[in-house]
Amino acid sequence: MAIIEVSNLKKSYGQLDVLKQITFDVDKNDVVAIIGPSGSGKSTMLRSLVHLEKVDGGSITVAGDSLVKDGIYASPQEIKKITTKMGMVFQHFNLFPHLTVRENLEIAPKMVKKESATIIRERSSQLLEKIGLINWADAYPAKLSGGQKQRVAIARALMMNPDILLFDEPTSALDPELTGEVLQVMKGLAEEHMTMIVVTHEMGFAKEVANRVIFMDNGEIIESGHPTELFENPQFERTKAFLNRSLK
Amino acid sequence: MMSMDNFMTMLKPMLEGAQMTVLLFFIAIIASIPLGFLITLAVRSNFKPLSWFAHGYIYIMRGTPLLLQLLLICFGLPMLPVVGEYLVLDRFVAACLGFILNYAAYFAEIFRGGLLAIDKGQYEAAQVLGLNKWQTTTRIILPQMFRIALPAVTNESVTLVKDTALLYAVAVPELLHYAQTAVNRDFTIFPFFVAGVIYLFMTLIISMSFKWMERRFKFE
């Protein structure tokens, strides 16, 4: 069953169409990798799912609820209800620098869900244990490496128990030797059947972990399919050209 | 050589004057920081007339001498037609008002700079986590803004201590006023040096307190 349905999504900045009639579904437990050249609209598409970008037309449905239908958005309360089903991990982590690692994890459950402090504390400890940073609980983000920061950002998103986790180029800002630890955590989540949509340049990750790959270029979905299919037997010239460039 | 007695006779009124200086400093700081912050919000407001007003306010307050503003408030307001007679303020109150209005404009610019320095990713992360506007502002944005603004606030505070000497011009007795009196009475400029040392001592205390705050809120 589709947990996210996107149809005919459109967005333009003036004359420039950044999203042209984007249509795709994501099933529960899917790990979808979105690949494509810079400026192809992948990030804009991903960000529109959590209402960080407004679209000009089309529909987005999340777990049966309409975020936007034929270009008309739901009420602000509805939007908030729908978007909090999704967690988001950013390229530049966006941790809160004035809060410790643990406070970063706990602020949203405390302020938004108003859960009890003991339950929140238990979950933050569990998650910090899981990402291997329990000893850094009281450190400020400034003390962490890029890879550690991104692991904290993933844990922060998980604290809200999202149904779907979105990643916007989660390893693009990291030194190459630090991408592994982040991809490892993401792989672990895939094995627990977390539904994930990952905008990435990591072809290895797309191949190994995703069960579907979407190739976007110039604001359109050119093709999508199982990674082995798409990587070994791309149907379109543009896909071939992109893969040749990035797999070199 | 000045005897100890003479020295104490000179020092006592100067220390009393310094109390006035300190009092003005605290009143001005405590009122102008929140007011400055409100002006920052007005500048950033989507309601254009409010934003224009705030811009105009900052332009006028920063573009004219503080001394002129003090003179206008103390001596100019009472000369306004009709309402003038109700605007005869106590000199000290008038001076406080002048300092607050002037410093609020500077603090507004400092805070505006602090807000501009905050990455938009902070707002996005807060939004995606479900924090509302108020929670985002009070828990995420303001603490970072104050941290970024702290060194510049320190600088303004030190300037404020020295600017209190402008009270002299509107005849509110303060530290410099008593130093001048002693200079005239005793035919020696020694009291000016004493006044200088007292100012240095006050600015030292302020610098040290703010340095402590900077370390305390280093977030490392």
Side-chain angles (χ1 to χ4, degrees):
Chain A
M1 193 206 98
I3 192 164
I4 293 186
E5 293 162 72
V6 173
S7 66
N8 299 320
L9 218 55
K10 270 196 314 200
K11 183 179 177 67
S12 40
Y13 295 118
Q15 295 286 27
L16 180 72
D17 295 328
V18 283
L19 298 179
K20 307 169 191 164
Q21 308 288 340
I22 299 279
T23 299
F24 69 96
D25 287 351
V26 175
D27 286 336
K28 204 165 169 1
N29 308 335
D30 264 357
V31 177
V32 177
I34 300 175
I35 61 171
S38 310
S40 57
K42 347 182 258 307
S43 284
T44 309
M45 194 279 293
L46 191 78
R47 288 162 56 83
S48 67
L49 298 181
V50 278
H51 199 237
L52 286 175
E53 301 279 351
K54 264 191 124 156
V55 295
D56 303 319
S59 309
I60 299 172
T61 308
V62 180
D65 295 322
S66 255
L67 175 69
V68 52
K69 197 173 165 64
D70 299 327
I72 297 161
Y73 273 91
S75 69
Q77 299 95 308
E78 261 312 281
I79 290 178
K80 188 162 176 177
K81 200 191 102 198
I82 294 168
T83 51
T84 42
K85 290 178 188 162
M86 291 173 277
M88 174 104 174
V89 175
F90 298 88
Q91 180 178 359
H92 296 288
F93 332 124
N94 297 353
L95 293 179
F96 304 129
H98 61 299
L99 302 179
T100 63
V101 165
R102 194 189 282 280
E103 288 167 342
N104 264 279
L105 263 60
E106 294 185 349
I107 185 166
K110 239 177 230 168
M111 311 279 312
V112 180
K113 288 201 167 168
K114 313 225 187 297
E115 292 172 291
S116 87
T118 12
I119 291 179
I120 294 174
R121 182 50 55 101
E122 212 171 281
R123 197 156 76 242
S124 67
S125 295
Q126 256 171 22
L127 280 169
L128 286 172
E129 200 79 64
K130 185 167 159 179
I131 60 167
L133 292 174
I134 189 74
N135 293 330
W136 294 82
D138 298 319
Y140 285 99
K143 282 269 185 269
L144 306 184
S145 73
Q148 291 173 322
K149 283 182 195 168
Q150 198 59 299
R151 280 144 67 196
V152 172
I154 294 172
R156 181 176 69 175
L158 290 172
M159 283 295 287
M160 294 298 278
N161 288 325
D163 297 329
I164 306 146
L165 212 43
L166 311 180
F167 295 81
D168 189 5
E169 306 200 17
T171 56
S172 298
L174 299 178
D175 291 336
E177 73 268 23
L178 298 178
T179 57
E181 56 188 83
V182 172
L183 294 175
Q184 205 53 46
V185 170
M186 292 169 63
K187 206 173 155 186
L189 290 173
E191 281 159 9
E192 294 167 21
H193 306 296
M194 172 61 93
T195 310
M196 301 199 279
I197 307 179
V198 187
V199 169
T200 186
H201 292 291
E202 290 284 335
M203 296 305 149
F205 176 82
K207 244 184 201 164
E208 198 188 336
V209 183
N211 62 344
R212 197 144 62 90
V213 178
I214 294 177
F215 172 65
M216 277 180 76
D217 190 15
N218 208 8
E220 297 171 288
I221 293 181
I222 306 300
E223 64 181 297
S224 80
H226 193 271
T228 27
E229 234 170 83
L230 193 130
F231 282 111
E232 274 155 32
N233 195 13
Q235 300 298 306
F236 291 82
E237 234 6 88
R238 279 200 266 178
T239 322
K240 277 180 206 163
F242 173 76
L243 291 176
N244 275 337
R245 275 197 313 269
S246 28
L247 294 175
K248 244 190 294 202
Chain B
M1 193 54 212
M2 193 181 261
S3 76
M4 198 60 200
D5 275 357
N6 284 347
F7 182 71
M8 290 314 289
T9 324
M10 176 203 76
L11 191 62
K12 199 165 163 282
M14 283 174 68
L15 287 178
E16 273 165 26
Q19 282 175 17
M20 197 61 117
T21 299
V22 170
L23 183 64
L24 175 68
F25 172 82
F26 279 110
I27 292 174
I29 278 283
I30 288 167
S32 62
I33 285 180
L35 181 61
F37 181 65
L38 289 180
I39 297 169
T40 305
L41 295 183
V43 166
R44 291 165 58 94
S45 166
N46 293 325
F47 182 57
K48 283 293 160 212
L50 185 62
S51 169
W52 290 330
F53 174 79
H55 274 294
Y57 178 86
I58 292 172
Y59 177 66
I60 291 170
M61 285 301 175
R62 292 201 312 167
T64 56
L66 174 56
L67 181 55
L68 177 66
Q69 294 163 17
L70 288 175
L71 291 172
L72 277 174
I73 291 174
C74 287
F75 308 117
L77 287 186
M79 289 165 84
L80 288 176
V82 191
V83 290
E85 58 181 303
Y86 303 105
L87 293 174
V88 186
L89 303 171
D90 172 77
R91 287 288 166 73
F92 182 72
V93 173
C96 286
L97 192 63
F99 274 91
I100 290 165
L101 294 179
N102 179 276
Y103 271 79
Y106 284 92
F107 283 125
E109 280 299 275
I110 289 173
F111 293 146
R112 198 173 63 86
L115 284 180
L116 286 177
I118 295 173
D119 187 71
K120 78 175 192 336
Q122 294 289 309
Y123 296 89
E124 292 184 350
Q127 184 191 324
V128 171
L129 286 169
L131 300 180
N132 64 30
K133 280 241 164 67
W134 174 252
Q135 292 165 336
T136 305
T137 306
T138 54
R139 306 297 292 262
I140 306 298
I141 303 306
L142 290 192
Q144 293 186 56
M145 181 203 76
F146 281 116
R147 179 60 190 88
I148 295 166
L150 204 47
V153 170
T154 311
N155 206 24
E156 276 307 299
S157 305
V158 168
T159 306
L160 174 58
V161 172
K162 295 175 296 171
D163 274 356
T164 56
L166 290 171
L167 283 179
Y168 181 77
V170 291
V172 175
E174 45 66 72
L175 174 54
L176 188 62
H177 167 90
Y178 288 111
Q180 176 80 65
T181 311
V183 165
N184 291 343
R185 185 188 58 219
D186 304 340
F187 293 110
T188 160
I189 58 159
F190 181 64
F192 281 156
F193 287 101
V194 177
V197 169
I198 297 176
Y199 280 117
L200 281 175
F201 178 72
M202 291 191 288
T203 49
L204 180 69
I205 299 284
I206 287 161
S207 308
M208 278 170 35
S209 335
F210 277 103
K211 278 276 169 322
W212 176 83
M213 264 160 58
E214 278 181 38
R215 276 197 308 275
R216 169 74 184 70
F217 297 109
K218 205 169 174 199
F219 306 131
E220 270 180 15

